């Protein structure tokens, strides 16, 4: 129920913080959504969804730097906009994987990760991360920079926890493969 | 180096370069004039959260508040001489004439002029046939059970369109708090009872007629109570998102205006 989200904004401080982000970033979020959807009303719907998510997480972002909150909102907005865009063009979402598949993949620990990590240049590594498909890079960002748990990422992006787990695993697997490929064939610009 | 070291590398990399992960170009900061629908939706949400905060704080003293309200408000409207305007019923203005009382919303300044958000009455027991009439400023749903002779009527009206003329002598009005909102319980001359309340954006009515017989309001109240408790008023998703996709714009947020309709107090 909608009320439950706002029931979580219990103090004047939380309310004030929420309103600050709302007034400061609603234009930014709208423009991100519009860039993807090219539709005024749909973009506004997406912005309102993003702020609902923020209301739910307002305590979590209480002590977070503003830039992180902004980026969090942008990722949430882009995610909803893309989902909606995909629905509109009737694309089949590839996000859904069963818990079984998830746990199977989870058990495949990437030993090769350690090898690529040993010789990694951080700046280059960051470029490789950014070259990933956004959905993979975003979950890594939310997990390793914002510090969200898989459950929190799932609730923020309206995904199953198992899907988030799979995306994180795939993201790391892709990173490993890209970096291994570089080692084999020499670095290529990303 | 184990897997955790790969994780550590990710953390260290993001710690160093994470601020650059999203660069906000100037053009995404250009101002957009949000639609009135959006503004109202967000304002409503912010009002809602705030009222919930206070309602949760007030909960323990709810009984005391009710007693205070009882002490402050009179039993029923009395016919008065020349027309005079009263706002002793919060949320409404009552203009009292010799033989009737004229009720309008106290303020419709921020309220939608037409019905933008449609609310449906759900939780109706089986055996009722539904009909619906929709106008831009008014909508009406009716549920009729021909076997039991029960007629449930539910209306949603733009506040600017509220204009109820009540027979002051024969239609006593009692103030009611409906899920925390200001409202009236109006006894119509026919013996029917109309529950009306202001939900900030719209005026809602519920009227249940039982087999056409006359009941006192105490009897009526007991009769309608189980119906009200099981009814929900749920937002009908008419957003562009729903129209495009067939899914709710709030797949993870089911927006329910009232989950059960509770008449907290009838002011005597």
């Amino acid at each position: 129920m909608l009320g439950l989200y706002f029931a979580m904004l219990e103090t004047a401080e939380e309310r004030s913080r929420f309103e600050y982000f709302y007034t400061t970033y609603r234009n930014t979020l709208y423009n991100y959504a519009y860039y993807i959807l090219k539709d005024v009303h749909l973009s506004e719907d997406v912005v309102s969804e993003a702020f609902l998510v923020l209301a739910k997480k307002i305590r979590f972002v209480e002590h977070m730097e503003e830039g992180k909150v902004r980026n969090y909102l942008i990722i949430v907005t882009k995610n909803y906009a893309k989902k909606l865009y995909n629905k509109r063009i009737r694309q089949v979402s590839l996000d859904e994987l069963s818990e079984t598949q998830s746990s199977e993949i989870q058990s495949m620990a990437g030993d090769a990760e350690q090898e690529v990590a040993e010789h990694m240049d951080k700046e280059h590594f960051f470029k490789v991360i950014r070259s990933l498909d956004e959905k993979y890079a975003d979950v890594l960002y939310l997990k390793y920079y914002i510090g969200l748990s898989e459950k929190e990422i799932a609730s923020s992006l309206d995904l199953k926890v198992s899907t988030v787990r799979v995306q994180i695993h795939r993201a790391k697997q892709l990173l490993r493969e890209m970096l291994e490929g570089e080692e084999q064939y020499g670095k290529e610009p990303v | 180096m184990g897997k955790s070291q790969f994780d550590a590398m990710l953390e260290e990399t993001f710690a160093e370069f994470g601020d650059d992960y999203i660069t906000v170009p100037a053009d995404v900061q250009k101002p957009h004039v949000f639609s009135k629908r959006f503004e109202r939706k967000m304002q409503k949400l912010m009002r809602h959260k705030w009222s919930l905060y206070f309602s949760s704080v007030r909960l323990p003293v709810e009984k005391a508040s009710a007693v205070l309200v009882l002490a402050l408000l009179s039993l029923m409207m009395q016919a008065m001489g020349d027309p005079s305007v009263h706002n002793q019923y919060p949320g409404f203005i009552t203009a009292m004439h010799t033989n009737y009382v004229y009720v309008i919303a106290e303020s419709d300044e921020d309220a939608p002029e037409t019905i933008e958000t449609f609310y449906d009455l759900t939780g109706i027991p089986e055996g009722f046939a539904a009909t619906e009439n929709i106008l831009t400023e008014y909508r009406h749903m009716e549920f009729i059970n021909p076997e039991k002779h029960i007629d449930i009527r539910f209306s949603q009206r733009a506040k600017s369109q509220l204009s109820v003329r009540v027979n002051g002598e024969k239609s006593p009005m009692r103030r009611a708090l409906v899920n925390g909102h200001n409202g009236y319980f109006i006894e119509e001359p026919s013996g029917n009872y109309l529950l009306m309340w202001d939900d900030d954006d719209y005026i809602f009515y519920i009227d249940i007629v039982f087999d056409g017989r006359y009941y006192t309001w105490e009897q009526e109240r007991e009769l309608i109570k189980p119906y009200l408790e099981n009814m929900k008023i749920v937002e009908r998703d008419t957003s562009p998102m729903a129209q495009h996709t067939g899914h709710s714009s709030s797949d993870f947020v089911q927006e329910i205006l009232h989950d059960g309709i509770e008449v907290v107090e009838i002011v005597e």
Side-chain angles (χ1 to χ4, degrees):
Chain A
M1 189 191 296
L2 183 65
L4 293 177
Y5 288 98
F6 288 93
M8 301 179 92
L9 296 169
E10 286 184 350
T11 67
E13 254 180 51
E14 287 173 356
R15 179 181 184 245
S16 164
R17 191 160 173 78
F18 178 86
E19 287 181 348
Y20 170 77
F21 288 118
Y22 170 67
T23 52
T24 306
Y25 293 114
R26 63 184 196 157
N27 275 317
T28 303
L29 300 188
Y30 169 82
N31 287 308
Y32 267 106
Y34 187 79
Y35 179 77
I36 295 166
L37 292 164
K38 309 292 185 206
D39 180 293
V40 171
H41 295 298
L42 289 176
S43 302
E44 289 186 351
D45 279 351
V46 166
V47 174
S48 65
E49 295 290 337
F51 281 111
L52 283 172
V53 173
L54 178 67
K56 188 181 173 189
K57 301 285 182 195
I58 197 70
R59 285 182 191 160
F60 180 80
V61 303
E62 190 176 356
H63 302 295
M64 198 182 279
E65 293 162 30
E66 182 174 343
K68 283 187 178 180
V69 180
R70 180 202 64 186
N71 288 356
Y72 172 73
L73 281 170
I74 289 171
I75 288 172
V76 169
T77 300
K78 286 197 299 181
N79 175 72
Y80 275 96
K82 283 184 203 166
K83 271 189 164 186
L84 188 52
Y85 178 81
N86 288 338
K87 279 182 181 175
R88 287 180 76 189
I89 60 172
R90 297 176 182 278
Q91 282 184 344
V92 179
S93 170
L94 299 175
D95 289 338
E96 301 299 328
L97 276 176
S98 69
E99 286 283 353
T100 311
Q101 286 171 295
S102 166
S103 56
E104 282 173 4
I105 290 171
Q106 197 63 21
S107 67
M108 294 158 49
D111 291 338
E113 284 178 357
Q114 66 188 53
E115 292 171 24
V116 295
E118 280 170 5
H119 307 290
M120 221 179 292
D121 169 83
K122 283 178 194 162
E123 188 172 0
H124 177 67
F125 188 37
F126 185 64
K127 285 180 182 172
V128 178
I129 291 169
R130 289 191 72 180
S131 72
L132 288 172
D133 183 309
E134 265 189 348
K135 73 178 178 185
Y136 295 129
D138 283 351
V139 290
L140 292 181
Y141 179 84
L142 292 174
K143 180 177 171 69
Y144 293 100
Y145 188 61
I146 303 285
L148 296 183
S149 67
E150 290 168 352
K151 192 177 172 184
E152 287 165 336
I153 296 170
S155 64
S156 299
L157 304 182
D158 193 25
L159 297 171
K160 291 178 182 174
V161 175
S162 58
T163 303
V164 171
R165 202 171 293 139
V166 167
Q167 286 186 349
I168 290 170
H169 176 82
R170 280 188 176 170
K172 290 160 76 175
Q173 195 175 34
L174 283 167
L175 279 177
R176 189 190 67 211
E177 286 169 6
M178 290 164 84
L179 293 165
E180 279 177 347
E182 285 178 357
E183 281 193 359
Q184 195 169 351
Y185 301 107
K187 277 186 184 178
E188 290 177 7
V190 289
Chain B
M1 184 180 276
K3 188 183 173 188
S4 62
Q5 285 172 292
F6 191 82
D7 289 349
M9 190 66 182
L10 278 163
E11 281 171 7
E12 287 166 20
T13 303
F14 273 119
E16 197 164 331
F17 300 101
D19 287 344
D20 302 328
Y21 180 71
I22 293 177
T23 49
V24 182
D27 65 334
V28 301
Q29 298 177 62
K30 65 184 175 187
H32 164 67
V33 179
F34 283 87
S35 66
K36 285 184 177 177
R37 175 178 163 273
F38 175 88
E39 296 285 6
R40 267 196 286 272
K41 187 175 180 182
M42 295 307 292
Q43 288 305 317
K44 182 181 166 190
L45 298 182
M46 285 191 266
R47 276 204 310 266
H48 188 185
K49 74 189 180 190
W50 201 228
S51 65
L52 277 171
Y53 167 59
F54 282 114
S55 65
S56 65
V57 170
R58 280 201 312 245
L59 205 57
V61 294
E62 189 178 278
K63 291 276 182 188
S65 301
V67 171
L68 182 62
V69 169
L70 279 168
L72 291 174
L73 297 172
S74 60
L75 171 63
M76 61 178 68
M77 308 288 287
Q78 298 293 327
M80 297 178 72
D82 293 330
S84 56
V85 175
H86 292 248
N87 60 356
Q88 64 173 324
Y89 292 86
F92 296 92
I93 291 175
T94 53
M96 300 181 189
H97 296 254
T98 306
N99 295 318
Y100 65 90
V101 179
Y102 187 68
V103 185
I104 59 172
E106 191 172 65
S107 170
D108 57 17
E109 198 172 324
D110 297 322
E113 293 174 4
T114 59
I115 297 181
E116 295 176 355
T117 305
F118 287 81
Y119 289 100
D120 289 335
L121 186 67
T122 65
I124 304 293
E126 288 184 1
F128 284 80
T131 58
E132 182 179 19
N133 292 313
I134 299 179
L135 301 174
T136 50
E137 307 88 3
Y138 177 81
R139 63 189 292 267
H140 179 81
M141 298 174 81
E142 188 160 5
F143 305 88
I144 298 173
N145 185 324
E147 289 181 6
K148 294 184 178 176
H149 304 287
I150 301 173
D151 186 358
I152 300 171
R153 289 172 275 192
F154 170 70
S155 299
Q156 177 188 356
R157 189 182 281 258
K159 286 174 79 169
S160 59
Q161 299 299 311
L162 173 66
S163 167
V164 176
R165 185 174 150 150
V166 181
N167 186 316
E169 291 178 339
K170 296 180 181 174
S171 300
M173 297 168 61
R174 297 173 175 87
R175 186 179 172 227
L177 291 176
V178 184
N179 289 33
H181 296 284
N182 296 308
Y184 282 131
F185 219 101
I186 302 172
E187 181 180 346
E188 297 174 321
S190 61
N192 295 334
Y193 292 84
L194 179 70
L195 180 62
M196 175 181 83
W197 71 99
D198 176 353
D199 207 49
D200 294 336
D201 286 339
Y202 302 102
I203 302 292
F204 293 92
Y205 306 119
I206 285 187
D207 170 16
I208 305 180
V209 181
F210 295 92
D211 58 33
R213 288 170 52 196
Y214 178 82
Y215 294 98
T216 65
W217 76 267
E218 291 91 346
Q219 290 171 324
E220 174 89 2
R221 193 180 168 195
E222 290 308 307
L223 280 169
I224 67 169
K225 198 174 173 183
Y227 286 88
L228 296 179
E229 283 173 351
N230 289 310
M231 285 174 183
K232 291 181 181 180
I233 300 182
V234 183
E235 181 177 338
R236 180 186 296 180
D237 196 339
T238 55
S239 67
M241 189 181 281
Q243 287 165 13
H244 279 287
T245 65
H247 291 85
S248 167
S249 63
S250 302
D251 283 340
F252 68 112
V253 179
Q254 188 183 4
E255 194 157 352
I256 299 176
L257 184 65
H258 293 319
D259 190 356
I261 298 163
E262 185 186 14
V263 182
V264 173
E265 191 58 59
I266 301 287
V267 177
E268 297 291 343

